[in-house]
């Protein structure tokens, strides 16, 4: 049994696969607590793997996105194999990077959450490889993200404004992030387009 917050179908709103139709499997629970998190960690239901596969197969999307919370708390090699075999879909994961991942995941997005000074050269980052690193911009120093142990020459780097409900602060956050990307083109801007579109 795995604790699931929700399973839903939408467009990927962030990062490299923005705009891709995807089935999102949002797991409950996390090993970190971030003030900007959009998941109610105490909510969720226990689901069997059979029920999860059935829910995923209701949709035609090519991608399944494992997200949370922190999905690595709930998944293992058997689960990844089952999703591939029973759905025929590719698997992406959005993780904070602090736990090892099972084999067979097709796209790994690492979104570090704690201070970068705590992560450089520290076993805090347990993921060995990231296809993309997606950072929420809260005004922190950014240089250290290029030294993360999971980064390679092919890893894509995305900087994302911190979304808040207050429109004035949200606009200020977005403009700051745009300026930072323009100043350092190693970054690509990521926007949470699902929020602008009013979809999940």
């Amino acid at each position: 049994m795995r604790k699931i917050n929700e399973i839903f179908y939408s467009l990927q709103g962030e990062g490299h696969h923005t705009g891709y139709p995807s089935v999102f499997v949002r797991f409950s629970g996390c090993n970190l607590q971030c003030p900007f998190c959009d998941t109610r960690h105490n909510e969720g239901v226990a689901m069997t793997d059979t029920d999860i596969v059935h829910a995923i197969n209701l949709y035609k999307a090519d991608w399944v996105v494992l997200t949370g919370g922190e999905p690595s708390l709930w998944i293992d090699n058997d689960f990844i194999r089952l999703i591939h075999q029973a759905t025929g879909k590719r698997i992406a994961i959005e993780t904070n990077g602090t736990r090892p991942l099972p084999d067979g995941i097709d796209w790994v997005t690492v979104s570090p959450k704690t201070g970068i000074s705590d992560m450089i050269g520290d076993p805090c980052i347990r993921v060995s490889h990231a296809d993309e690193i997606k950072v929420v911009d809260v005004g922190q120093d950014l240089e250290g993200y290029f030294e993360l142990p999971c980064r390679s020459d092919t890893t894509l780097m995305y900087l994302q404004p911190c979304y808040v409900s207050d429109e004035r602060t949200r606009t200020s956050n977005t403009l700051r992030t745009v300026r930072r990307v323009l100043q350092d083109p190693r970054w690509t801007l990521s926007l949470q387009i699902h929020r602008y579109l009013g979809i999940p």
Side-chain angles (χ1 to χ4, degrees):
M1 304 290 283
R2 306 177 200 273
K3 190 174 181 183
I4 303 296
N5 184 279
E6 59 180 336
I7 297 176
F8 63 97
Y9 181 48
S10 189
L11 301 178
Q12 173 60 270
E14 307 173 4
H16 182 67
H17 291 122
T18 293
Y20 282 44
S22 303
V23 183
F24 292 83
V25 179
R26 185 183 297 280
F27 291 86
S28 296
C30 189
N31 57 336
L32 301 177
Q33 294 183 354
C34 304
F36 49 79
C37 184
D38 59 1
T39 300
R40 296 180 179 91
H41 293 296
N42 294 327
E43 296 182 4
V45 295
M47 295 180 67
T48 67
D49 289 353
T50 300
D51 290 336
I52 294 170
V53 166
H54 174 74
I56 291 171
N57 277 332
L58 293 175
Y59 308 105
K60 295 181 179 179
D62 293 332
W63 283 94
V64 176
V65 180
L66 308 179
T67 185
E70 177 47 48
S72 66
L73 295 168
W74 291 99
I75 63 174
D76 51 30
N77 288 329
D78 290 340
F79 181 75
I80 296 301
R81 268 194 306 271
L82 174 66
I83 298 302
H84 274 308
Q85 292 170 359
T87 71
K89 301 180 190 301
R90 291 177 285 179
I91 299 173
I93 191 169
E94 298 181 355
T95 175
N96 60 35
T98 60
R99 294 172 52 84
L101 298 179
D103 298 329
I105 297 173
D106 300 289
W107 188 268
V108 176
T109 299
V110 173
S111 186
K113 304 300 185 189
T114 59
I116 190 63
S117 61
D118 298 329
M119 292 187 166
I120 301 304
D122 188 280
C124 181
I125 290 289
R126 302 293 178 95
V127 172
S128 59
H129 164 77
D131 295 291
E132 67 178 312
I133 293 172
K134 186 178 63 183
V135 176
V136 176
D137 178 14
V138 291
Q140 73 273 45
D141 178 69
L142 298 175
E143 192 60 34
Y145 292 105
F146 292 91
E147 300 175 29
L148 287 174
C150 58
R151 182 179 177 269
S152 70
D153 291 341
T154 60
T155 302
L156 304 173
M157 303 294 290
Y158 286 91
L159 192 62
Q160 184 166 289
C162 184
Y163 185 91
V164 294
S165 57
D166 179 72
E167 184 175 357
R168 185 172 181 177
T169 303
R170 185 168 67 246
T171 299
S172 175
N173 288 352
T174 301
L175 291 175
R176 178 187 63 209
T177 303
V178 169
R179 285 194 299 269
R180 299 186 88 178
V181 170
L182 289 171
Q183 290 167 359
D184 186 350
R186 293 177 298 174
W187 293 100
T188 297
L189 180 68
S190 172
L191 294 174
Q192 294 180 302
I193 65 164
H194 53 288
R195 294 188 184 274
Y196 293 93
L197 295 174
I199 60 176

